[in-house]
Amino acid sequence: MTEDPAHPSMALNTRFSEVECLAESHQHLSKESMSGNKPANAVLHKVLKQLEELLSDMKADVTRLPATIARIPPVAVRLQMSERNILSRLASRGPDVTAQNQSQTSQQMQV
């Protein structure tokens, strides 16, 4: 299975990344602005305006998210398997395979 970058739920993820990047890259501006640096103050206001616009877009995305999620086909349809086949496949996995998958998942989360 792959992620669809055009899917509306991915827009929320993209905007969150933009907000995070913008905030982190300009966090020094608040100190400079407080110390009386007028150019830093002007840039800070522009950045805050951009953040406000991004957050507003995210709010609109979140309100559309339940309807978007409701249109996602069930897992059985996406995997093109019956529920019984999915359950039997999950049940047939040995404990060492499950432990290995959990280990891989925790390693991916640390990266």
Side-chain angles (χ1 to χ4, degrees):
M1 294 183 65
T2 60
E3 291 180 353
D4 179 10
H7 195 275
S9 63
M10 293 303 291
L12 186 60
N13 187 40
T14 302
R15 286 196 177 101
F16 179 77
S17 297
E18 290 175 16
V19 165
E20 188 177 36
C21 181
L22 192 61
E24 286 180 3
S25 64
H26 292 89
Q27 65 184 352
H28 65 282
L29 288 176
S30 62
K31 290 180 183 176
E32 292 182 31
S33 179
M34 294 292 281
S35 68
N37 185 336
K38 291 190 188 274
N41 191 33
V43 173
L44 178 63
H45 279 89
K46 288 182 181 182
V47 169
L48 290 173
K49 183 68 174 169
Q50 286 178 318
L51 286 170
E52 184 179 1
E53 290 171 0
L54 282 168
L55 290 171
S56 177
D57 291 343
M58 288 176 72
K59 184 178 178 182
D61 289 342
V62 167
T63 59
R64 290 189 299 269
L65 202 53
T68 301
I69 291 172
R71 289 192 307 266
I72 295 174
V75 173
V77 172
R78 289 184 282 161
L79 293 176
Q80 298 176 349
M81 296 173 68
S82 70
E83 290 179 15
R84 184 175 299 235
N85 287 345
I86 293 170
L87 291 173
S88 67
R89 191 154 179 200
L90 289 172
S92 68
R93 289 187 168 197
D96 57 332
V97 174
T98 305
Q100 183 181 9
N101 287 343
Q102 289 174 346
S103 174
Q104 288 174 349
T105 303
S106 65
Q107 287 174 354
Q108 291 172 349
M109 292 175 73
Q110 291 173 356
V111 174

